[in-house]
Amino acid sequence: MPAREQEIFDRKIEEEIRIEPKDWMPADYRRMLIRQMSQHAHSEIVGMLPEGNWITRAPSLRRKATLIAKVQDEAGHGLYLYSATETLGITRDEMIEQLHAGMAKYSSIFNYPTLTWADIGAIGWLVDGAAIMNQVPLCRASYGPYARAMIRICKEESFHQRQGFEILLTLSRGSEAQKAMCQDAINRWWWPSLMMFGPNDDASPNSRLSMHWKIKRFSNDELRQKFVDACVDQVKTLNMLLPDSEIKWNENREHYDFGEINWEEFYEVIKGNGPCNRDRLEARKKAHAEGAWVREAAAAFAAKKNDSTKHLMYGSHTTS
Amino acid sequence: MDLISTYIIHQADNALILGHRNSEWTGHGPVLEQDIAISNIALDLIGQARYFYQLAAARINESAPGGNITEDDIAYLRDDFEFRNCILAEQENGDWARTLLRQFYFSTYQLLLYQELLKSRDPGIAGICGKSVKETIYHVKWSSEWVIRLGDGTEESRTRMVEAMQTLNPWIPELFIPADFEYEAAATGAGILPDTLKDEWYHRVNRVLESATLPTLLSGKNPLQILSGKRGVHSEHLGHLLAEMQFLQRAYPGCSW
């Protein structure tokens, strides 16, 4: 191991100086970042599917436009994160291959189905809410490109969360059927959202190393507790219930106690046995396979015109 | 309803139906950047549709004391035969070639139309078009580039473009055959007769098709018109699109969302 470089790296971590792509870094640090960041990018892309499921059925023109914009933001997040991960010496194509081959994970939450319109609200409130709890500390992650991508992403995510909550609030003040739809969605998304924080601290060996390197700043259980505390208050505004009879204020801890997560379900869904694992991966593979001739044609045209493929292929536009 | 309101709703229906079709791609595009681009165009179009529906709703409410029709009532509570969009807009996405060609044909038409409508005597219409022209210039640019790239790309992409042309070309003439509301709009100065755009449309489209090394189009005489979206006689595709789009409003009538 290059002792001098290791020393510089350690000092930077210690002094909260960001590690940048050209800096020396331990191989394990690089590997851990590639794993976490690509997983994060894949989550954004796979996460487009359950919400995209309701774009064509959104109940009003305003909701339709907002949902398209939201799903499109997620594509944008995927894009920054793939680009940030590419600074570690892996290509987007390689990452996508790993996803399609089942070698790279994405957030398990997206293996649950969106069955009613209320699910779009519940995803915004709970899933984006949990994501924000996880992601805000990542804005201070030790790896520069990751931290900077996260700053932009977090701004948009908190906007999504408010939109989701507002969808539920509208339902909660609506007809009996709409109220029932709202409660049902909360029932189905609550526990999987708690699982988004990962295993308990004593079952999460990667966490410790990640915290040592200041990629992560808080443990899984700390973040989960923060999330539960926030949601217990928010659900009152909705006049709905969280599906856990053990939620109770604990004077000593100054936190809410809550019930035990079904860890069997957690590990089964990670292993690929969730309700939508196969559907999600197939949808991604199908889009990629059906797009192959498009990408080839763009590359062939670019080669013919001696133009840059990247410019032609990736020349997308953003509106204000 | 007066014919000028129908004219405005016709513009809204075109934008909504095409935007809805484009949004079916969101999450399924051939490459991430283009997924974002097509979703953006969907958003622009749905935004345009909303302005036109809101304008129409305001007109309808003004003429009916106590009326409180909203943009959503118009979009979600009309049946197939009440929609006034051109049949081209409702055609299924098919592959990327067909989606792109549909966008190119339609955006070229919308751009010419919106530019003329900047002079509309109805300030509401002129205002919406002022905003929409900028977006549509981009839609034409983006789709033209793709038509050229796919036409002149690989053997396969060219074949797919030719097939897309075969599917979509029959729906071109309808764009330029005036409907009653277009005659009325032209007579009052609120709108124009679409056949005045025809020569320029063919000229612009053929210029791009030539660059794409694809066969060019002949304008010719108007064919027999059995179907006409503008008259509310649509292809089979629209009913399915509406069944999906209107589902919640129909299943839970009278709710706020």
Side-chain angles (χ1 to χ4, degrees):
Chain A
M1 177 193 296
R4 169 94 186 110
E5 267 115 351
Q6 177 77 48
E7 211 174 282
I8 297 172
F9 174 86
D10 289 341
R11 203 180 58 239
K12 281 189 177 164
I13 295 285
E14 176 66 32
E15 292 173 2
E16 304 271 338
I17 298 169
R18 292 265 156 78
I19 307 299
E20 295 299 335
K22 287 188 177 138
D23 296 347
W24 182 91
M25 62 188 85
D28 283 342
Y29 178 79
R30 187 184 298 275
R31 252 196 305 276
M32 176 174 283
L33 280 169
I34 289 177
R35 192 181 123 266
Q36 182 174 336
M37 289 167 69
S38 67
Q39 199 169 312
H40 197 156
H42 297 325
S43 301
E44 298 284 356
I45 302 309
V46 177
M48 294 167 77
L49 298 170
E51 289 179 282
N53 185 34
W54 279 88
I55 286 176
T56 54
R57 290 178 290 170
S60 70
L61 294 175
R62 179 170 77 95
R63 295 291 187 205
K64 193 183 197 67
T66 318
L67 184 57
I68 296 171
K70 183 189 174 189
V71 178
Q72 190 197 28
D73 281 347
E74 277 151 18
H77 299 172
L79 212 48
Y80 320 143
L81 285 163
Y82 281 129
S83 302
T85 317
E86 282 185 321
T87 63
L88 292 159
I90 182 169
T91 65
R92 196 203 306 184
D93 284 344
E94 288 169 321
M95 289 184 260
I96 288 173
E97 248 168 63
Q98 289 175 354
L99 172 70
H100 293 174
M103 286 153 56
K105 300 266 180 243
Y106 54 86
S107 181
S108 266
I109 193 83
F110 301 120
N111 292 317
Y112 289 84
T114 48
L115 304 177
T116 71
W117 171 250
D119 290 25
I120 299 308
I123 288 185
W125 177 42
L126 295 172
V127 176
D128 291 334
I132 291 166
M133 287 284 176
N134 272 325
Q135 291 173 357
V136 166
L138 289 174
C139 297
R140 294 190 289 127
S142 56
Y143 187 57
Y146 194 23
R148 288 188 288 272
M150 290 318 303
I151 290 170
R152 201 167 156 185
I153 291 173
C154 282
K155 277 188 199 148
E156 293 181 348
E157 289 293 355
S158 58
F159 184 59
H160 295 166
Q161 193 200 10
R162 282 201 298 276
Q163 284 172 350
F165 190 77
E166 201 260 324
I167 288 175
L168 293 184
L169 195 60
T170 306
L171 293 174
S172 74
R173 293 170 177 173
S175 69
E176 286 310 310
Q178 285 177 306
K179 286 178 192 165
M181 202 184 274
C182 181
Q183 183 63 62
D184 164 68
I186 294 170
N187 293 350
R188 281 182 291 108
W189 289 93
W190 173 249
W191 290 106
S193 299
L194 292 190
M195 294 177 199
M196 284 175 70
F197 296 93
N200 284 137
D201 293 345
D202 51 13
S204 183
N206 278 329
S207 258
R208 271 189 294 277
L209 194 54
S210 180
M211 285 173 77
H212 168 71
W213 277 328
K214 296 188 181 165
I215 300 171
K216 277 179 80 157
R217 299 281 175 160
F218 298 98
S219 78
N220 295 353
D221 287 329
E222 283 171 325
L223 291 169
R224 188 165 16 238
Q225 181 68 60
K226 243 175 116 175
F227 179 69
V228 171
D229 291 347
C231 290
V232 173
D233 284 334
Q234 289 163 0
V235 80
K236 290 175 192 155
T237 311
L238 295 176
N239 216 1
M240 296 280 144
L241 296 169
L242 294 173
D244 178 358
S245 57
E246 290 176 50
I247 290 180
K248 206 177 148 210
W249 179 250
N250 183 321
E251 286 287 348
N252 296 329
R253 296 200 308 121
E254 299 203 319
H255 285 296
Y256 284 98
D257 289 336
F258 54 98
E260 185 65 20
I261 286 170
N262 182 345
W263 293 110
E264 190 194 348
E265 176 177 326
F266 173 77
Y267 287 109
E268 280 300 310
V269 179
I270 286 183
K271 265 197 281 175
N273 301 326
C276 299
N277 297 58
R278 286 191 66 81
D279 288 348
R280 299 292 183 239
L281 214 50
E282 263 170 35
R284 284 313 314 156
K285 286 200 265 194
K286 184 166 176 275
H288 193 71
E290 286 178 358
W293 71 268
V294 178
R295 298 188 298 274
E296 279 159 20
F301 179 80
K304 223 185 281 188
K305 301 290 161 186
N306 201 15
D307 207 343
S308 134
T309 313
K310 206 169 172 79
H311 161 70
L312 284 166
M313 203 45 208
Y314 302 153
S316 65
H317 114 117
T318 47
T319 51
S320 51
Chain B
M1 195 194 307
D2 71 298
L3 286 171
I4 301 302
S5 297
T6 310
Y7 184 71
I8 296 167
I9 289 175
H10 157 71
Q11 310 302 344
D13 288 346
N14 276 340
L16 174 64
I17 299 302
L18 187 59
H20 179 100
R21 281 293 187 220
N22 286 346
S23 78
E24 293 172 0
W25 275 103
T26 305
H28 306 274
V31 67
L32 204 42
E33 285 81 349
Q34 300 306 329
D35 200 306
I36 293 174
I38 192 96
S39 304
N40 235 318
I41 294 174
L43 269 177
D44 287 345
L45 288 168
I46 289 169
Q48 293 172 12
R50 291 187 65 190
Y51 286 122
F52 281 121
Y53 284 133
Q54 286 163 10
L55 181 64
R59 277 182 72 94
I60 295 165
N61 290 335
E62 262 171 40
S63 63
N68 60 347
I69 293 269
T70 67
E71 54 171 359
D72 290 328
D73 294 331
I74 306 177
Y76 287 88
L77 301 178
R78 282 177 307 149
D79 203 346
D80 180 287
F81 57 85
E82 295 169 285
F83 270 74
R84 289 289 176 269
N85 62 283
C86 296
I87 292 178
L88 180 62
E90 74 205 30
Q91 292 307 299
E92 290 181 308
N93 287 345
D95 60 7
W96 190 247
R98 197 196 294 176
T99 296
L100 260 298
L101 186 67
R102 185 185 62 198
Q103 193 65 47
F104 170 61
Y105 283 170
F106 212 86
S107 294
T108 304
Y109 167 77
Q110 277 182 318
L111 182 57
L112 293 171
L113 175 65
Y114 289 167
Q115 279 170 333
E116 287 301 313
L117 292 181
L118 293 175
K119 293 173 278 186
S120 168
R121 240 180 256 164
D122 183 312
I125 295 176
I128 297 169
C129 291
K131 182 188 168 296
S132 306
V133 158
K134 278 184 254 164
E135 295 169 347
T136 312
I137 288 171
Y138 169 73
H139 303 170
V140 170
K141 179 174 182 290
W142 180 82
S143 57
S144 307
E145 283 172 4
W146 270 106
V147 167
I148 294 168
R149 205 174 290 150
L150 296 181
D152 194 14
T154 60
E155 197 64 35
E156 181 178 2
S157 67
R158 185 191 161 75
T159 308
R160 285 174 183 264
M161 282 304 293
V162 170
E163 279 168 11
M165 289 178 78
Q166 287 162 356
T167 306
L168 297 180
N169 288 355
W171 309 113
I172 295 170
E174 190 201 354
L175 300 176
F176 306 108
I177 301 171
D180 56 352
F181 52 79
E182 286 169 316
Y183 283 115
E184 175 72 10
T188 61
I192 57 147
L193 286 175
D195 48 353
T196 58
L197 307 173
K198 188 171 169 180
D199 289 345
E200 184 61 18
W201 186 90
Y202 276 94
H203 174 67
R204 291 190 186 193
V205 165
N206 279 334
R207 215 169 44 199
V208 171
L209 292 175
E210 266 170 34
S211 302
T213 71
L214 289 165
T216 52
L217 305 173
L218 295 172
S219 58
K221 267 187 16 195
N222 286 337
L224 172 69
Q225 226 196 351
I226 297 170
L227 303 184
S228 162
K230 291 183 194 178
R231 290 200 318 257
V233 190
H234 290 273
S235 68
E236 288 179 345
H237 304 302
L238 183 64
H240 293 278
L241 184 154
L242 296 180
E244 187 171 340
M245 185 179 90
Q246 298 179 336
F247 147 71
L248 276 169
Q249 290 271 356
R250 301 291 194 177
Y252 302 92
C255 289
S256 294
W257 298 94

